[in-house]
Amino acid sequence: MSPGTGSRSRKKVMVALQGGGAHTAYVWGVMDELLASDDIDIVALGGTSGGAMVAAVVAGALSMERSPVGQPLDDRGRRQLARDMLRRFWSIVAQLGERYQNPYRFVANPFHPSWNIDGLPVPVILSAMSLLTSPYQSFTGIKENPVVEAILESINLDVLNKSTIGPALYVCATNVRTGQPAIFTRNEIRTEHLLASACLPTVDRAIQIGGEYYWDGGYVSDPSLAALIRNHCSVTGDLIVVGVNPIVMKHAEMPPNTAWGIVDRMNEVTFNASLISELRQIHTINELLQQVPPSAPARQKNGRLHGKKDILIHYIPPHESMAQLGVASKNNTAKEFLEHLEGLGKEVARQWKSGDIAGGGASLLGISSDTNFEALFIRPQHGNAAPVPSSAPYLADGGHVPAETV
């Protein structure tokens, strides 16, 4: 982000955004709160799948020197524009769901008050059909993902590619042929790169870019942290990771014993695996740096630790009630559901900014990683490891448990 109003006193951070289909509307809420803060300066963004879409919308707006109507923008104006563009993006996603009659659209009601739609007739039937047919067997031929409209209405890709201001951007997709992550940067990102990052192979045909085919980046890196650290650790050591999928579950909820519950937890474990692996690597390097003196050969030029710096990890977890959502609701584009998740994201982000959250919060920027980082990511097998962090227990519908019952 270019210098602007109050930029000298702001904490420079890298931000990595996890994806999760419609559940990524939660990340929208978190980012809205971070962008509203005068204390945080985002120097680089990374995202996968839905997280890549959110990251691209934010990076695009923060790269604008003038508003869409031609008014000059300062730093605060760009952040407000980013918030506006995020709302536009998700509003269009909801409209597209209505226009194309997305069968997963659902609004909680007195007859089914939960947002979890696993086990309802439509998701069950569509899930079964996905095992029998593929996107390549469609009778209607090749269909463009409707989300292209939301992308083009919310991101000026030409400005994103060419602007000399704004944060760096890294979008991750999975190379189908090699099984390895592919990282696309802001100077090359077009609609196909964002579609590649969010391409679920049972729903959409693989996205071809430069002779290679790509699937959702979550299979190999959700989100990718390496590019952020490699290219920006000299500017800041603070890395904020915004989570969508629960990491550690409560003992009382284990093991899942329904077909949908098993599929849901398998989905969470699969898409969390790469994140946990990368965070453990960062932790290992941090420990080595603390033990190896600066004069050691390993820290000199050509040494394995040369140029490495301590990375401080700050995790903004999913709202605890999101553990009750099933995998089918990741396809729910109902406006009410997306705004519900946005609200949960804002709530947790406010707690994180105020420090009223397990592990620390914004007050630890520039000082240390979250105090519960090891319990959550490094040694969660311990019996006393906490479940999804929160400042207070939550009811399944997102309400707080009264204090006297805790």
Side-chain angles (χ1 to χ4, degrees):
M1 189 179 293
S2 63
T5 305
S7 62
R8 291 185 178 181
S9 61
R10 299 167 67 198
K11 302 286 181 62
K12 295 184 181 298
V13 299
M14 302 171 278
V15 181
L17 308 178
Q18 196 171 45
H23 290 189
T24 316
Y26 171 82
V27 178
W28 162 29
V30 172
M31 287 305 300
D32 185 82
E33 281 296 317
L34 294 184
L35 289 164
S37 175
D38 289 327
D39 301 322
I40 294 174
D41 182 7
I42 302 172
V43 300
L45 282 158
T48 295
S49 194
M53 305 275 185
V54 171
V57 171
V58 173
L62 296 181
S63 300
M64 302 278 286
E65 295 191 49
R66 293 183 175 274
S67 72
V69 296
Q71 295 295 320
L73 292 171
D74 60 10
D75 176 76
R76 187 167 293 171
R78 282 189 286 273
R79 286 188 282 125
Q80 182 59 51
L81 178 63
R83 299 173 71 191
D84 294 341
M85 290 300 102
L86 281 174
R87 182 162 297 280
R88 174 184 289 186
F89 175 85
W90 288 102
S91 295
I92 295 174
V93 167
Q95 293 167 14
L96 291 170
E98 292 185 5
R99 184 190 310 168
Y100 292 96
Q101 295 294 297
N102 173 15
Y104 285 96
R105 285 176 303 139
F106 174 83
V107 177
N109 58 75
F111 299 100
H112 189 86
S114 171
W115 288 107
N116 187 331
I117 59 175
D118 289 353
L120 293 185
V122 170
V124 169
I125 293 170
L126 293 175
S127 178
M129 289 177 60
S130 71
L131 300 176
L132 301 175
T133 62
S134 85
Y136 302 88
Q137 297 171 311
S138 172
F139 295 108
T140 58
I142 299 176
K143 296 182 294 184
E144 183 177 62
N145 191 324
V147 80
V148 167
E149 182 176 330
I151 293 171
L152 294 177
E153 288 291 327
S154 308
I155 310 170
N156 187 323
L157 293 169
D158 291 331
V159 170
L160 177 67
N161 296 156
K162 299 174 183 178
S163 177
T164 57
I165 65 172
L169 174 64
Y170 303 93
V171 167
C172 178
T174 301
N175 185 308
V176 180
R177 181 179 62 85
T178 66
Q180 299 296 312
I183 305 297
F184 303 114
T185 57
R186 61 173 275 177
N187 65 329
E188 63 183 325
I189 289 174
R190 309 301 291 179
T191 55
E192 59 266 28
H193 298 91
L194 296 174
L195 293 179
S197 183
C199 178
L200 292 175
T202 58
V203 178
D204 298 304
R205 297 188 181 197
I207 303 298
Q208 185 177 17
I209 302 173
E212 296 283 0
Y213 289 91
Y214 296 94
W215 282 342
D216 193 301
Y219 295 114
V220 290
S221 199
D222 188 19
S224 176
L225 309 180
L228 289 168
I229 294 170
R230 180 172 59 250
N231 296 308
H232 304 283
C233 67
S234 62
V235 178
T236 178
D238 287 301
L239 173 61
I240 298 174
V241 179
V242 182
V244 172
N245 300 309
I247 303 292
V248 178
M249 302 295 287
K250 296 177 180 177
H251 283 292
E253 298 172 350
M254 292 292 108
N257 56 14
T258 64
W260 278 102
I262 292 169
V263 170
D264 185 33
R265 190 55 182 159
M266 286 172 56
N267 180 275
E268 291 168 350
V269 169
T270 299
F271 284 94
N272 282 333
S274 61
L275 172 62
I276 293 172
S277 177
E278 283 202 75
L279 288 174
R280 288 186 169 188
Q281 291 177 36
I282 293 169
H283 178 72
T284 298
I285 293 174
N286 283 347
E287 288 189 324
L288 286 173
L289 290 174
Q290 293 169 11
Q291 298 171 14
V292 178
S295 58
R299 300 190 68 168
Q300 306 307 306
K301 188 175 181 179
N302 299 324
R304 296 293 296 273
L305 296 178
H306 176 68
K308 298 289 191 299
K309 296 184 178 180
D310 281 344
I311 301 299
L312 307 181
I313 305 298
H314 311 280
Y315 183 58
I316 300 180
H319 190 288
E320 191 169 10
S321 68
M322 291 178 69
Q324 307 303 319
L325 299 178
V327 65
S329 65
K330 290 186 175 182
N331 300 299
N332 184 2
T333 56
K335 178 176 181 287
E336 294 84 348
F337 181 58
L338 299 179
E339 291 181 344
H340 167 72
L341 293 172
E342 177 210 4
L344 297 182
K346 286 185 174 182
E347 180 182 338
V348 174
R350 290 187 191 117
Q351 294 171 352
W352 182 83
K353 289 197 298 184
S354 66
D356 186 26
I357 194 170
S363 61
L364 294 182
L365 290 174
I367 298 174
S368 72
S369 294
D370 291 344
T371 58
N372 64 346
F373 172 74
E374 290 192 27
L376 194 58
F377 294 103
I378 308 303
R379 284 178 272 277
Q381 69 275 15
H382 288 192
N384 60 354
V388 178
S390 62
S391 62
Y394 293 95
L395 297 171
D397 64 359
H400 286 86
V401 177
E404 62 268 21
T405 67
V406 178

